Amino acid sequence: MFLTCEGTFGIVPATMDYNGEVRPGDFHAGYQEIEGINLGYLQINGTQMFALAQVLSDLFKDIPRTTISKKMETLKIKSRRCDLQELRTLKAINSVPTRAVKCSLISKADLEALCTSCKSLSPRR
C-alpha cells in the first residue's frame, strides 16, 4: 500500500559540464510515505527514484539483503548509479549516510513490485 504523502524539498538547478554547457539535469527531491516509512526520493525525468540503501535499511530491515537481491533479479529490477549531484542531494535530505561515496536508485514502479513480492517475507506492521 503506497500512501501519497509527498513533501517537496526543492528544485536542484541544472548542472554544468566542465566545458560550461548546461546539462538537462533538473530534478526534484522530496519525501513520500511508503508502507508507513518516510522515504526520500529524487524526481528524475518524470520518474520517482528511491535510494536503494534507504529502502534496504528502512523498508526491508527485517529481510536479508541476499533475499532482496534475489527478488530483484527474479523481477528483473535494475538499479542505476546516481551521479555526484544526486548523491549530494540524497545526503542533504538524509536518505543516504553522509559518509556514502556511491548510491544506487530504483524507480517507484520497481519499488512497488518489490514491496508486493516481499509482503509475505516481512512481519505485518
Side-chain angles (χ1 to χ4, degrees), residues 6 8 10-12 24-32 40-50 80 86 89-90 93 105 108:
E6 295 182 29
T8 302
I11 299 173
V12 177
D26 286 348
F27 55 88
H28 301 273
Y31 298 95
Q32 181 163 3
Y41 69 87
L42 299 177
Q43 181 99 11
I44 304 170
N45 297 325
T47 304
Q48 277 187 343
M49 303 291 287
F50 294 87
R80 85 156 180 86
E86 293 164 349
T89 303
L90 289 169
I93 64 172
L105 302 170
K108 181 179 179 182

Side-chain angles (χ1 to χ4, degrees), residues 41-88:
Y41 69 87
L42 299 177
Q43 181 99 11
I44 304 170
N45 297 325
T47 304
Q48 277 187 343
M49 303 291 287
F50 294 87
L52 190 56
Q54 186 180 30
V55 168
L56 293 172
S57 66
D58 295 356
L59 196 58
F60 298 127
K61 63 183 172 201
D62 298 326
I63 302 172
R65 290 183 184 219
T66 54
T67 303
I68 299 296
S69 293
K70 288 177 186 174
K71 287 280 186 187
M72 288 177 66
E73 192 176 308
T74 301
L75 295 168
K76 294 183 172 56
I77 294 175
K78 300 283 186 203
S79 62
R80 85 156 180 86
R81 187 71 52 96
C82 64
D83 65 24
L84 185 58
Q85 188 63 39
E86 293 164 349
L87 179 63
R88 287 179 179 157

Side-chain angles (χ1 to χ4, degrees), residues 5-9 29-33 38-41 92-95:
C5 180
E6 295 182 29
T8 302
F9 182 70
Y31 298 95
Q32 181 163 3
E33 187 175 327
N38 220 15
L39 297 177
Y41 69 87
I93 64 172
N94 297 316
S95 288

